[in-house]
Amino acid sequence: MTHDTTTSPLVLGTMMFGTRIDEDTSYALLDRFVERGGVWLDTADCYAYWASRSGHGGDSESVLGRWLAARPGVRDRVKIATKVGAEPRWPDAPPSQHEGLSRRAVREAFEGSLRRLGVDRVDMLWLHKEDRTVPIEETVDALAELTADGSVARVGASNHPAWRVERARAHARSTGALPLDALQQSATFLRPRPGTRPNGMHAFGVLDDELSDYATTHGLEVWAYTPLLEGAYDNPDKTIPEIFEHPGSSARLDVLTKVAGELGVQKGQVVLAWLVAHGIRPMLGGSKRDQLDSALDGVRLRLSPDHLARLDAPL
């Protein structure tokens, strides 16, 4: 077992900062992440409206903004990614009544994000989920305005089907704009049964074979949320979600358990290392320092060719 000592590929997800995770704990996690070479911080304008007193998002970005202000110089050591498109228009609004991705919605949401974060630019702006009430070309043109003025360095899509990603990229290329160059999807070592998706998951939230192939072919970076199934790989008090229960999962879990035992590490750490070996950037949304340290160790774990071959073997 060897570990890489370069910058960590792990993304620290800050979804619950300021709501279920208090400010002191949030600061401690952020400090530890940077101390150990972490770079990417992921948030959204809608985090976490379902856990906030107001019924609106913004708490996560606000905590990050206060942390940045309290740590002079740290902005140069981290990269900030935020998202637009999923903030509810009013408390308890259904998904069909979220702000969406019109030009006006993108501009107003992004201005709010900059204000809460206390910055004048972000390193990645994600389209949080697709909005079929708006032509994707209108959304791309709105993003183009932000990349052109330097307030956004890169743009990506989360929870979008491959055909809309391609349409967005084609329109950007045709207008000379910066195209989407990253995808953020749910991905882990196990695969859900066909025709199923995790509870609350967006319709196109899972990284499927088509999106994966598209990303590989066109050089898009892939970020994976919920890679550890909320700790179910290692925590005996948690169970693997039912949608992953099928014969293929049993075989994959058997191989995963054996590889983890041979390396003397947790199964979740092998999952993270496996994702990194396939060019995928895992995201962690834990609330405890030991979870963070374990994940940071996991992404630096280098699997041998034999271990990768066994983990990748068709079932």
Side-chain angles (χ1 to χ4, degrees):
M1 179 177 67
T2 60
H3 289 81
D4 182 19
T5 57
T6 59
T7 299
S8 175
L10 188 73
V11 177
L12 181 60
T14 66
M15 179 188 293
M16 306 312 301
F17 286 11
T19 49
R20 293 176 184 162
I21 302 177
D22 65 57
E23 192 143 330
D24 288 344
T25 302
S26 300
Y27 277 34
L29 291 170
L30 288 162
D31 289 343
R32 181 61 172 170
F33 183 67
V34 173
E35 177 188 342
R36 293 208 48 191
V39 174
W40 276 106
L41 305 173
D42 183 81
T43 186
D45 68 329
C46 71
Y47 288 165
Y49 68 83
W50 56 93
S52 72
R53 295 179 179 177
S54 68
H56 286 288
D59 291 296
S60 172
E61 290 180 328
S62 295
V63 167
L64 280 178
R66 291 191 289 273
W67 175 76
L68 290 168
R71 304 288 189 271
V74 78
R75 179 66 182 95
D76 297 329
R77 300 176 60 187
V78 298
K79 293 184 177 181
I80 298 172
T82 194
K83 311 180 193 72
V84 296
E87 167 71 358
R89 292 174 180 164
W90 61 84
D92 299 321
S96 63
Q97 294 301 319
H98 288 183
E99 290 290 354
L101 297 174
S102 68
R103 178 183 179 276
R104 176 179 177 180
V106 169
R107 293 289 307 194
E108 291 183 353
F110 183 62
E111 289 169 1
S113 291
L114 291 183
R115 183 174 62 254
R116 287 185 291 272
L117 289 164
V119 299
D120 59 5
R121 60 179 176 81
V122 299
D123 303 284
M124 177 84 79
L125 182 63
W126 297 100
L127 305 178
H128 203 154
K129 62 177 184 176
E130 65 168 341
D131 178 6
R132 296 200 182 183
T133 70
V134 174
I136 192 66
E137 292 80 6
E138 178 182 337
T139 303
V140 170
D141 289 342
L143 294 177
E145 295 173 1
L146 301 177
T147 57
D149 69 18
S151 56
V152 171
R154 296 172 59 192
V155 288
S158 181
N159 308 306
H160 279 61
W163 71 269
R164 284 181 70 83
V165 174
E166 170 57 24
R167 180 173 290 187
R169 283 169 51 80
H171 181 68
R173 290 192 298 267
S174 73
T175 60
L178 187 70
L180 303 171
D181 72 355
L183 304 174
Q184 185 178 143
Q185 304 290 123
S186 175
T188 185
F189 181 64
L190 299 181
R191 302 185 63 143
R193 291 194 314 276
T196 65
R197 67 179 190 238
N199 291 335
M201 181 67 65
H202 300 282
F204 297 97
V206 174
L207 180 67
D208 60 17
D209 289 341
E210 185 176 14
L211 267 176
S212 181
D213 180 63
Y214 183 87
T216 299
T217 302
H218 297 284
L220 276 69
E221 185 175 354
V222 177
W223 293 22
Y225 63 83
T226 60
L228 300 180
L229 303 180
E230 299 183 346
Y233 285 109
D234 294 294
N235 188 340
D237 294 328
K238 296 189 175 183
T239 57
I240 299 291
E242 189 269 338
I243 64 166
F244 294 101
E245 293 180 4
H246 54 82
S249 286
S250 299
R252 289 177 76 80
L253 281 171
D254 183 58
V255 173
L256 179 65
T257 300
K258 289 178 180 176
V259 170
E262 291 166 13
L263 294 174
V265 298
Q266 295 178 345
K267 292 191 288 290
Q269 291 178 310
V270 175
V271 171
L272 296 177
W274 179 80
L275 288 168
V276 171
H278 287 281
I280 297 175
R281 190 183 288 275
M283 306 174 70
L284 179 75
S287 60
K288 299 178 181 178
R289 175 169 164 159
D290 63 328
Q291 295 172 335
L292 176 59
D293 280 330
S294 177
L296 287 163
D297 289 340
V299 296
R300 287 177 169 158
L301 175 67
R302 292 297 174 258
L303 300 171
S304 71
D306 173 67
H307 287 139
L308 278 174
R310 289 160 58 192
L311 293 165
D312 289 343
L315 303 174

